[in-house]
Each structure stands twice: as C-alpha cells, then as structure tokens.
Amino acid sequence: MGKEKGGFLTPKAIANRVKSKGLQKLRWYCQMCQKQCRDENGFKCHCMSESHQRQLLIAGENPASFNNYFSDEFQKEFMQLLKSRFGTKRVQNNVVYNEYIGFKEHIHMNATRWETLSQFTKWLGREGYCKVDQTEKGWFIQYIDRDPRVLARQKELEKAKARERDDEERHAKNIEEMVRKGKEKEAQTANVECTELKRTNDEEKVAFKFGASSSSSGVSEETSAAVKPTKSFPSISSIQSQPSKRKSKSSNSDSNSKKKKSALEEIIAHEQARKKKNNTIVENWLRVGIVVKVTTKRLGERFNKKKGVVVELQDRFIATVVMNNGGDKIKVDQTHLETVLPTFGKKVVIVNGEYRGEIAVMKSINMEEFTADVEICEGRYAGRMAKSIKYEHISKKAE
C-alpha cells in the first residue's frame, strides 16, 4: 500500500502554514505568479515550473501593459494608505512605505516603472498628488486632498471667515467713528475757557442782566436798576467755584473717555491676536500631558503601536514619552508619533487649529470624513462646541 497522504492538521501541514505567515524575503517572491517561496530551492523550482514559464510567455507579448498595471496598482494602494492612515499630515516617505509593505500581498516596487522610492516620491510631486520636500532626514510627503466634499467644506470655511472679517471691519469702523466723535467733543470743550470774575471797583454793586444780547457788560449802575429785587443771584464765591467744578467734570469725562477708549482698543487687539494665533495650522503639535502612539519599528518591536504619555519636550518636534506598558522613557520625533482618540465622554486636548491648547470632551466621531465633534469644558470658551475637528488635531488627555 502507498503512503497515506497528510491531512490538514498534520504537524507538517501546520508547520508549513506557520512558515508561510508574515513577510518573507523579497528575492524569493514572484510578482507575475504572485507566489512567495520560502527558500532558494523552492524559488528555483517555481521558476522551472510550467505555470511560471506560461506566465512569462504571456507577459513577453506585451510587457508594457503589465508594467503599467503593476505601477497603477502600487500607486493606488500607496495613496489610499497615505490618505486613510496619515491624512494631510507631513510624513516621511519611508514611514508610509514600511507600513505599506507590511501587507503580504502588496505590489513589489521592482515590478513597477520606478526603481527606487525616491523616484516614486519625485513622481508624486510632479503629478500633483502630494507636496514633496527634501530635508536632511530624507524625503517628506503631504497628501493633497481633492475630494469634492472636502473642497466644499473648505469653501464654506473660507466664506465664514470672510463674513467674520466683514463683521470685524464693520465693528472696527463703528469704533473709529465713536472715537472720532469723542475727539470732536473733547476739542469743543477744550475751546471754551472759563475765567474768574474780577471787580474793578469794590464799592460798585454786582448785577447781572439775562437778556438776548450777551455783549452788554454786567457791572454797571444802569443794569443794576433793571434787575428785579425779587430774583436771587449766586454769590461771588459760588461763581468762583464754578470753573473749578467745570474743570473737574471735564477732567472726569476725559479720563472716562480715555478709559473706555483703551478698553475697546485692548479688546480689539486681543481678538486680533487670538485670531492670528488660532487661524494658523502649525507643524508642531506636541504638548506635555497628551497620550500618543508610537508608529515606528526603529525603537524595537515592543514599542511599535504602543501608547505613552508626553512628559517633556526637547524642542518643537522631539518629545520624551513614558510608555504605558512598563514605564520605559524614550525620546521620539514627532513624525513617529500620532494622536490617540479616547472614548465618548473622555477629555481631549486640542493640539492644533482654532482652539489650540483648550481642553474638551469627546462628543461624536464622523468615520467618513475622519473628523470629531468636541465640547470645550475649561477656560474662557467653556461650553462651546467645536465641530469637524480632524483626528490629528486632537489627542487624549493623560489622566
């Protein structure tokens, strides 16, 4: 009798399945047949097989179409990963590529029209798919989102900002008009000069005539006869004290107007500084006291995809992170970190955008647009809802 065939659960079958899991050497992978061989002997046997030779004959008839097909598939999968995983963040091309080749059935670059990752990165920049720049650390790419919904949302935001600017300009004009009227009133009051009452002759009686003409003199014997004795007139001391009262009132009004004017200017300056600060999206989003996730294997497998708390900032882009599992302290660049979203009702820190630095509570998440709605719970904006904030602009607050 012949030898019985091995089943699915035999030790050899299980060992073969274990060996076939995960990534294996690229030189033993056949892109045409999409077959991964485990060793050199298996790859040699595959190259001599009839199915492989048949695939080579088919590809030899039109090699350009196969090359274009593999190139298009590689570009689509790479851009889909960049869009869904990193969004519009600026990230190093090696970080995206290392995550892309983590898929076992990915398209290998040696089957495409690009020989190196740098050539592919330059091509993305020329075609307008990404913003590309080269630094001392290597090539960096940033996805350009041309989704119609995203563009429509950006237009709505621009319109809202334009309306806000119009309101501010109108408010500023009203304030300027109020300031101008205040200055005119001050100039009119400044032109009126109050003088003390002087008597040329002590024996003469003081009399006043309240008539239509103000040019007649008030100190004479003839006018004293015209004044009725039933009317009472203020004394000289009270008349002399009137200019001082007027001066004190005018000085008080001047000081009040100055105080009001300075308060308005202070409010305007504060609002302009806040808008100038908050309307700019900065590259450095790291903050002390937030939870982040490590996304690099350079520090070891035990730190990859693990979470920690930022306890110190070395500079704008480098942070010291204490890992949650074990309490190890590591120093990581911002490009190898990403924000962490908590569950609903937990606190987050807004690390970028209009309300940067504010503490809020997670309310809802939009999975399609990769945005979240939060409610600010502390500070001067407490109770305000911040809607459609991108995932990378908020991070969980360390407890």
Side-chain angles (χ1 to χ4, degrees):
M1 292 179 66
K3 190 175 181 181
E4 187 179 355
K5 293 183 179 180
F8 181 75
L9 296 177
T10 58
K12 186 175 182 180
I14 295 173
N16 289 338
R17 286 197 300 275
V18 171
K19 290 178 183 178
S20 65
K21 283 184 178 180
L23 296 176
Q24 300 182 36
K25 290 191 177 181
L26 176 62
R27 59 179 177 172
W28 295 334
Y29 182 82
C30 177
Q31 184 66 63
M32 286 299 303
C33 303
Q34 296 182 358
K35 179 177 177 58
Q36 176 70 57
C37 301
R38 289 198 295 270
D39 53 18
E40 187 175 0
N41 185 35
F43 186 71
K44 182 179 179 181
C45 293
H46 170 72
C47 292
M48 296 172 63
S49 64
E50 183 180 354
S51 61
H52 179 75
Q53 297 296 329
R54 189 163 52 248
Q55 286 290 337
L56 290 181
L57 289 175
I58 295 172
E61 294 177 358
N62 192 1
S65 63
F66 280 88
N67 185 263
N68 293 334
Y69 171 75
F70 289 133
S71 300
D72 293 341
E73 289 297 317
F74 177 82
Q75 183 257 333
K76 287 179 183 177
E77 294 176 1
F78 188 90
M79 294 302 296
Q80 180 63 28
L81 175 64
L82 178 62
K83 176 183 177 181
S84 59
R85 177 69 175 77
F86 300 97
T88 56
K89 282 197 303 186
R90 179 175 173 269
V91 64
Q92 198 170 5
N93 58 353
N94 277 325
V95 176
V96 186
Y97 182 72
N98 288 334
E99 191 158 340
Y100 170 73
I101 64 177
F103 301 104
K104 186 178 178 181
E105 301 298 331
H106 71 275
I107 304 294
H108 291 258
M109 184 168 281
N110 58 0
T112 64
R113 67 172 72 100
W114 306 287
E115 295 181 0
T116 61
L117 182 60
S118 299
Q119 290 183 0
F120 177 63
T121 304
K122 294 177 183 177
W123 181 84
L124 290 177
R126 288 196 301 269
E127 295 296 323
Y129 289 103
C130 299
K131 294 179 183 178
V132 178
D133 61 310
Q134 187 179 17
T135 62
E136 297 177 354
K137 296 182 180 180
W139 287 92
F140 284 81
I141 56 178
Q142 185 177 1
Y143 179 71
I144 301 174
D145 199 347
R146 291 190 173 88
D147 189 359
R149 291 180 297 178
V150 176
L151 295 177
R153 189 169 68 249
Q154 289 178 354
K155 288 182 179 179
E156 290 178 0
L157 292 175
E158 289 177 359
K159 289 180 181 178
K161 288 180 181 178
R163 288 195 297 269
E164 218 172 289
R165 284 195 298 267
D166 293 340
D167 294 339
E168 289 176 359
E169 291 175 358
R170 198 178 303 112
H171 186 57
K173 286 182 179 179
N174 292 336
I175 292 173
E176 289 178 0
E177 184 68 19
M178 292 168 63
V179 171
R180 185 183 62 80
K181 290 180 179 179
K183 289 182 178 179
E184 289 178 356
K185 289 182 179 179
E186 288 179 3
Q188 291 175 1
T189 54
N191 293 331
V192 178
E193 295 182 358
C194 299
T195 59
E196 295 182 0
L197 181 62
K198 295 181 180 180
R199 299 179 62 185
T200 56
N201 190 0
D202 296 337
E203 296 179 355
E204 292 180 351
K205 294 181 180 181
V206 178
F208 296 93
K209 182 180 180 181
F210 298 96
S213 61
S214 60
S215 60
S216 60
S217 62
V219 185
S220 65
E221 294 180 355
E222 295 177 359
T223 55
S224 62
V227 179
K228 295 181 181 180
T230 56
K231 293 184 179 179
S232 61
F233 300 98
S235 60
I236 296 175
S237 59
S238 62
I239 294 171
Q240 292 177 352
S241 63
Q242 285 181 358
S244 61
K245 290 182 180 180
R246 291 178 182 175
K247 288 181 181 179
S248 62
K249 288 182 180 179
S250 61
S251 61
N252 291 334
S253 63
D254 293 344
S255 61
N256 291 333
S257 62
K258 288 181 180 178
K259 286 180 182 178
K260 289 180 181 178
K261 204 161 58 174
S262 62
L264 289 172
E265 291 175 354
E266 185 179 352
I267 292 170
I268 294 170
H270 183 271
E271 288 295 325
Q272 289 177 351
R274 184 185 70 81
K275 291 184 181 297
K276 184 177 180 182
K277 174 186 175 183
N278 295 334
N279 287 339
T280 56
I281 302 298
V282 296
E283 293 185 359
N284 57 310
W285 53 266
L286 287 174
R287 284 180 174 271
V288 176
I290 62 173
V291 180
V292 293
K293 182 189 287 187
V294 180
T295 59
T296 181
K297 297 181 181 178
R298 296 180 183 178
L299 302 174
E301 289 291 338
R302 66 194 186 102
F303 295 131
N304 187 29
K305 305 295 183 183
K306 303 298 181 183
K307 298 177 183 178
V309 180
V310 178
V311 295
E312 185 183 356
L313 296 180
Q314 304 293 332
D315 58 19
R316 295 172 59 196
F317 298 97
I318 299 177
T320 302
V321 180
V322 176
M323 305 305 295
N324 292 340
N325 52 344
D328 297 320
K329 187 179 290 187
I330 58 175
K331 188 185 294 184
V332 196
D333 190 86
Q334 178 179 284
T335 55
H336 301 313
L337 297 173
E338 67 176 9
T339 57
V340 176
L341 297 181
T343 57
F344 298 138
K346 297 293 184 179
K347 289 186 178 181
V348 297
V349 179
I350 303 176
V351 297
N352 216 337
E354 183 178 357
Y355 300 103
R356 183 170 64 253
E358 301 293 338
I359 299 174
V361 177
M362 178 69 72
K363 291 298 182 181
S364 62
I365 292 176
N366 190 340
M367 301 292 290
E368 296 180 355
E369 299 181 358
F370 305 104
T371 58
D373 296 341
V374 298
E375 181 180 357
I376 300 174
C377 60
E378 297 181 12
R380 55 188 297 185
Y381 302 109
R384 181 176 297 184
M385 285 292 297
K387 297 184 178 181
S388 300
I389 297 182
K390 296 181 179 179
Y391 288 169
E392 58 267 22
H393 290 176
I394 55 175
S395 187
K396 181 180 178 182
K397 186 179 183 297
E399 296 180 353

